[in-house]
């Protein structure tokens, strides 16, 4: 199982994912030109995404 950490930009048009790939850390960033990423509301400053929610996000 791999832990993936997702961060959303303040405007909501940028998402960054960080995970450990066995050699070091990998970073994936995606920016959309129009609109914003739908993001669940945070409880205690963190959210948990299911694998299907993460796939829909990307």
């Amino acid at each position: 199982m791999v832990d993936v950490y997702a961060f959303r930009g303040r405007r909501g048009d940028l998402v960054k994912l960080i995970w450990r790939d066995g050699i070091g850390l990998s970073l994936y960033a995606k920016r959309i030109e129009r609109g914003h990423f739908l993001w669940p509301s945070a409880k205690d400053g963190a959210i948990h995404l299911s694998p299907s929610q993460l796939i829909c996000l990307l």
Side-chain angles (χ1 to χ4, degrees), residues 8-36:
R8 189 186 95 163
R10 288 184 189 208
R11 292 181 295 181
D13 64 345
L14 174 69
V15 66
K16 294 179 185 178
L17 303 175
I18 299 175
W19 69 94
R20 185 161 187 250
D21 62 3
I23 300 172
L25 294 176
S26 290
L27 171 70
Y28 173 81
K30 183 175 183 178
R31 181 182 306 269
I32 54 178
E33 294 181 12
R34 294 187 200 124
H36 61 276

